[in-house]
């Protein structure tokens, strides 16, 4: 029962760690998206300044990769900040908090996992001893001499 309790605790902590790691990864991607957005904004602004269709199409083909990266970055930022106000300070604080929580959770996970590993070793040793005792008991039964009763001897 202790093994199953520790296993459940380990799984719960692992799930929490995975969620924290995923969110931290998402925040890093938002940092990257923000940097891409800032660096590619002049290319987008250049496109917006062009009024004539042929010149606009030519500009789009020349800067297609940069515009695609800009649109992707803008889409990711608007998903996180629908109001359009990107607050990198808020993300930075959230990342720092997550990082501290992750370290704390990982330390707890590590101790529970080590306890679980020790419990598995103990359980394995106990199971081995029980199997050994069962085998020796079976062998003792098999090696006992057969005692015949007098009635059986008479009928033969």
């Amino acid at each position: 029962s202790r093994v199953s309790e520790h296993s459940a605790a380990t799984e719960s902590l692992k799930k929490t760690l995975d969620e924290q790691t995923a969110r931290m990864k998402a925040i890093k991607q938002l940092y990257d998206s923000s940097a891409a957005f800032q660096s590619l904004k002049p290319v987008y602004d250049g496109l917006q300044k062009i009024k004539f269709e042929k010149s606009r199409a030519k500009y789009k083909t020349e800067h297609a990769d940069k515009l695609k990266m800009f649109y992707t970055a803008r889409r990711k930022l608007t998903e996180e900040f629908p109001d359009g106000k990107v607050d990198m300070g808020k993300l930075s604080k959230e990342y720092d908090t997550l990082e501290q929580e992750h370290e704390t959770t990982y330390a707890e996970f590590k101790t529970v996992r080590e306890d679980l590993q020790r419990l598995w070793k103990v359980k394995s040793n106990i199971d081995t001893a029980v199997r050994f005792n069962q085998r020796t008991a079976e062998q003792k039964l098999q090696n006992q001499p057969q005692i015949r009763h007098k009635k059986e001897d008479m009928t033969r």
Side-chain angles (χ1 to χ4, degrees):
S1 66
R2 294 208 55 199
V3 170
S4 63
E5 289 172 10
H6 272 66
S7 293
T10 303
E11 289 300 317
S12 172
L13 289 170
K14 188 173 181 337
K15 183 179 177 184
T16 303
L17 285 171
D18 290 344
E19 290 170 357
Q20 290 170 341
T21 303
R23 181 61 184 156
M24 287 171 32
K25 185 177 177 181
I27 290 173
K28 283 182 182 179
Q29 288 177 343
L30 287 170
Y31 280 131
D32 295 342
S33 294
S34 177
F37 181 84
Q38 295 298 325
S39 67
L40 297 172
K41 181 87 166 107
V43 175
Y44 177 75
D45 290 340
L47 177 67
Q48 296 305 312
K49 290 178 184 175
I50 301 173
K51 301 295 181 200
F52 298 107
E53 198 61 41
K54 286 185 180 182
S55 301
R56 192 172 173 89
K58 183 180 176 188
Y59 188 86
K60 274 185 178 180
T61 56
E62 289 173 357
H63 299 89
D65 293 337
K66 291 180 181 178
L67 287 170
K68 185 176 180 179
M69 289 184 347
F70 174 81
Y71 293 135
T72 303
R74 184 174 69 178
R75 185 183 71 245
K76 287 181 181 178
L77 288 172
T78 54
E79 286 174 2
E80 184 69 26
F81 301 102
D83 60 353
K85 297 177 183 175
V86 178
D87 188 4
M88 296 311 283
K90 175 185 164 191
L91 285 178
S92 179
K93 287 178 186 176
E94 182 182 357
Y95 186 84
D96 292 341
T97 304
L98 278 171
E99 197 170 37
Q100 290 173 352
E101 289 175 1
H102 187 271
E103 288 174 10
T104 305
T105 307
Y106 183 71
E108 185 180 348
F109 171 77
K110 200 170 160 184
T111 58
V112 171
R113 184 183 63 192
E114 289 170 357
D115 288 344
L116 179 64
Q117 289 172 343
R118 278 190 240 118
L119 284 172
W120 273 111
K121 286 180 183 177
V122 169
K123 184 179 182 307
S124 174
N125 290 338
I126 290 171
D127 290 343
T128 302
V130 167
R131 280 191 304 257
F132 178 76
N133 287 340
Q134 287 175 345
R135 282 190 210 132
T136 55
E138 289 173 5
Q139 287 175 352
K140 284 180 183 179
L141 287 175
Q142 289 175 356
N143 292 338
Q144 283 182 346
Q146 298 284 336
I147 301 174
R148 293 187 175 178
H149 298 288
K150 290 183 180 181
K151 287 184 180 180
E152 291 178 10
D153 287 338
M154 294 179 154
T155 55
R156 288 189 173 192

